[in-house]
Amino acid sequence: MATKGKVLTLTEVNPMVRCIPTSKTDILVRRAGEITRELEQGAVKPFPDVIIVSSGDSHGAGMQPITFVRQVMAACLYPELLHSDRLPSDVRQRAQRLLGECEGSSVGSYSCPLGLDAVRRSVAESLQRRDGGVISDSDNIFIQSGSHVALMRVLKVLLHGEGVSQTGVLVPVPCHPRFTQAVWALGGVPLPFQLSEERGWVLEREELQRALRDARGRCSPRALYIVNPGNPTGHVQSRESIEEVIRLAAEESLFLLVDEVYQQTVFGVDREFDSYKKVLCEMGPPYSSTVQLASVHSVSKGFMGESGLRCGYVEFMNLDPQVKKHISSIVAKEGCAPIIGQIALDIMAAPPQPGDASYTTFRAERQASLDTLAHNVRRVQETADGLPGVSYQPPQGGITIFLRLHLSHRAVEQAKALGLEPDLFYCMRLLEEEGVCAGPGCDLGQREGTYHLRLCILMPTDSLEEMLRRLKSFHHRFMQDFC
């Protein structure tokens, strides 16, 4: 019997998916994996291993997990430990309580699609403490398999239309490419607006208005995506800046999508994290009763760094009850977040307190992680200060630093001759010659004619020093080769 050939070919792929550009960082990470396998098979290279600083996976970079988190998870996975004195009393009590919230007292069960009720309440209580008493309702908190999944599910409801009625989403530049790719894939139009590098990566109202003007007539801007603290910039918005964004959202009828996953890693002098929800509530009517907000957080970032557990949440403010029903329906069809991840989220929301058996160890481990981050930021800045053709805006938070590369005309022309963006060319050579996998700025967006390097630096200090040694050696050689 004759066959008609393959059904799924490139021409049959969803056009929204086909238009998603290939991530340059993914290309580098795949090559890093190939190099690692080559080294394992005995290949001789000028370096013994690959150091990956393109990803925010701090555990993958060598940071150790928080003991209390792993002990509670261990007891939940193997309940026999609940009867063992090998675990502190508060660990056993927490595990017992959380298992009691699970169907069949097992972490292998499903939860409600929106998350375990007890964990949602813990998150609400933590947000109320964070925001100085601003009320948080657990009914407005949806637990998801990470902050990105939470944003995706909001976008599924928000994005619609074609032509001039197609939903546009204002997206900062630079920004992690996964969000922009999600907007394209779900049928929206990303509307880039440039953050001001010269002013420390601040968000400027005039630039937002410029992006809105440019969008008129080709789509309908309906949402504004904010990352605070910024990724990759490390900028932490001031309260005044947040208020300005909220006023613009009210004037232009924009839904605010706010990514706040780095809120626990703010280290800038005289800089504190203010949540958009807190500022919005304290601005009072009409803003506090009309501006719609979805803010996300996750166990993946910050001092916990539990990226592989895949759990986060979204909190809604001023969401129409009928819209909430539709989002709930989408979540119900796509399943709940892993129970183990929800356990970690409960601990992030309600960590050990003074007087608890695990408090001293927990506090010391958390502070050690934050101290390591602050130390690493200083060391990267000190190294960058000694590299010709490198500048930066000092980060105030997050776990990344975004270096500006001032490349020679010869280096730029060589990259173009190879069909590469100049900073991708730089990163490829850095990987091949020194075994350091960094993120090129072209993957995150940047002003034309500028080039950058994204380094994720929540890692052990000895690993950071080795990475900096290799980066320094390569950079001097690269600049000499293309002087």
Side-chain angles (χ1 to χ4, degrees):
M1 183 177 182
T3 62
K4 295 183 178 180
K6 297 177 180 178
V7 175
L8 183 58
T9 62
L10 183 59
T11 57
E12 297 300 322
V13 171
N14 184 330
M16 295 298 184
V17 174
R18 286 206 309 269
C19 75
I20 300 174
T22 301
S23 167
K24 309 300 189 300
T25 301
D26 287 348
I27 293 171
L28 289 163
V29 170
R30 284 197 294 272
R31 177 58 187 147
E34 293 171 356
I35 291 173
T36 297
R37 288 190 291 275
E38 291 168 8
L39 288 167
E40 291 170 347
Q41 293 166 7
V44 177
K45 294 184 181 292
F47 48 86
D49 57 9
V50 173
I51 301 175
I52 296 180
V53 286
S54 60
S55 164
D57 179 4
S58 58
H59 287 191
M63 294 297 288
Q64 294 301 300
I66 299 293
T67 299
F68 184 78
V69 176
R70 293 308 175 89
Q71 288 178 328
V72 173
M73 289 196 299
C76 288
L77 285 164
Y78 186 59
E80 289 297 318
L81 292 173
L82 295 172
H83 311 295
S84 169
D85 291 337
R86 295 173 61 189
L87 294 178
S89 58
D90 56 341
V91 168
R92 287 178 277 141
Q93 290 166 5
R94 178 69 67 96
Q96 186 77 63
R97 177 176 67 79
L98 290 170
L99 281 174
E101 300 292 336
C102 300
E103 294 292 333
S105 297
S106 172
V107 295
S109 62
Y110 290 128
S111 75
C112 161
L114 302 184
L116 292 168
D117 288 340
V119 180
R120 294 170 72 196
R121 289 193 297 270
S122 288
V123 171
E125 290 165 3
S126 75
L127 295 177
Q128 197 158 318
R129 290 192 299 271
R130 180 198 70 184
D131 293 336
V134 173
I135 298 299
S136 181
D137 186 345
S138 62
D139 285 344
N140 292 327
I141 294 168
F142 292 9
I143 297 174
Q144 302 289 280
S145 300
S147 58
H148 182 70
V149 170
L151 287 169
M152 289 275 287
R153 289 174 178 170
V154 178
L155 288 175
K156 282 185 178 181
V157 173
L158 191 62
L159 305 184
H160 62 86
E162 297 179 354
V164 294
S165 65
Q166 189 174 8
T167 299
V169 181
L170 291 154
V171 180
V173 175
C175 173
H176 197 285
R178 284 212 306 170
F179 182 80
T180 304
Q181 291 168 353
V183 173
W184 279 121
L186 294 171
V189 180
L191 305 173
F193 64 91
Q194 298 282 345
L195 301 175
S196 175
E197 181 171 8
E198 295 73 20
R199 296 181 57 203
W201 298 110
V202 300
L203 185 158
E204 297 177 322
R205 180 186 174 95
E206 296 78 11
E207 173 62 9
L208 275 173
Q209 291 173 320
R210 191 275 312 158
L212 284 167
R213 285 195 304 272
D214 289 353
R216 306 296 185 196
R218 62 187 183 93
C219 68
S220 295
R222 296 191 180 99
L224 168 58
Y225 178 56
I226 299 290
V227 187
N228 183 48
N231 176 16
T233 66
H235 174 71
V236 178
Q237 277 187 277
S238 66
R239 183 185 177 94
E240 293 72 23
S241 175
I242 294 172
E243 289 178 351
E244 194 168 48
V245 170
I246 290 171
R247 291 190 189 98
L248 181 68
E251 293 166 10
E252 300 289 346
S253 298
L254 296 172
F255 190 103
L256 285 175
L257 295 165
V258 184
D259 187 332
E260 298 177 327
V261 299
Y262 294 104
Q263 60 185 265
Q264 294 172 315
T265 51
V266 174
F267 46 78
V269 177
D270 298 325
R271 183 67 78 190
E272 294 182 354
F273 171 78
D274 283 314
S275 75
Y276 263 74
K277 179 192 171 187
K278 177 185 179 183
V279 175
L280 178 55
C281 288
E282 291 178 349
M283 287 176 72
Y287 303 107
S288 60
S289 57
T290 58
V291 174
Q292 294 181 300
L293 168 69
S295 57
V296 300
H297 192 17
S298 166
V299 301
S300 295
K301 308 305 177 187
F303 68 90
M304 283 181 62
E306 295 284 3
S307 303
L309 296 183
R310 311 313 305 149
C311 193
Y313 66 83
V314 56
E315 183 185 25
F316 294 104
M317 184 173 175
N318 293 326
L319 191 65
D320 184 284
Q322 296 303 314
V323 174
K324 186 189 290 187
K325 287 182 180 179
H326 285 294
I327 297 177
S328 298
S329 296
I330 290 173
V331 171
K333 291 175 183 176
E334 298 185 359
C336 65
I339 296 294
I340 285 295
Q342 294 191 52
I343 289 169
L345 180 58
D346 184 82
I347 295 169
M348 184 180 80
Q353 296 300 304
D356 293 345
S358 299
Y359 175 71
T360 301
T361 299
F362 175 85
R363 181 183 62 179
E365 291 177 341
R366 177 181 60 187
Q367 192 59 50
S369 177
L370 297 175
D371 288 347
T372 295
L373 176 61
H375 170 272
N376 289 356
V377 170
R378 289 193 300 272
R379 286 293 299 123
V380 173
Q381 291 179 150
E382 289 167 359
T383 300
D385 287 340
L387 297 179
V390 173
S391 64
Y392 60 89
Q393 295 294 332
Q396 302 162 325
I399 62 172
T400 63
I401 188 165
F402 204 44
L403 302 179
R404 174 89 172 262
L405 299 175
H406 302 269
L407 301 178
S408 67
H409 176 73
R410 185 179 172 194
V412 171
E413 290 303 308
Q414 177 64 32
K416 290 180 178 179
L418 296 171
L420 299 172
E421 293 286 344
D423 43 19
L424 176 58
F425 174 58
Y426 181 98
C427 287
M428 283 180 163
R429 288 195 50 162
L430 174 62
L431 177 58
E432 297 292 342
E433 296 179 23
E434 294 288 350
V436 174
C437 182
C442 60
D443 217 19
L444 300 112
Q446 53 198 353
R447 286 191 184 276
E448 186 175 354
T450 66
Y451 314 108
H452 295 83
L453 195 65
R454 176 181 183 257
L455 304 176
C456 298
I457 55 174
L458 183 51
M459 59 197 302
T461 55
D462 56 347
S463 298
L464 180 93
E465 292 300 332
E466 175 61 15
M467 183 275 291
L468 292 177
R469 184 192 67 78
R470 297 187 197 182
L471 175 62
K472 183 177 179 180
S473 173
F474 167 78
H475 184 80
H476 284 294
R477 190 166 61 250
F478 183 90
M479 297 299 280
Q480 182 63 37
D481 288 347
F482 294 99
C483 64

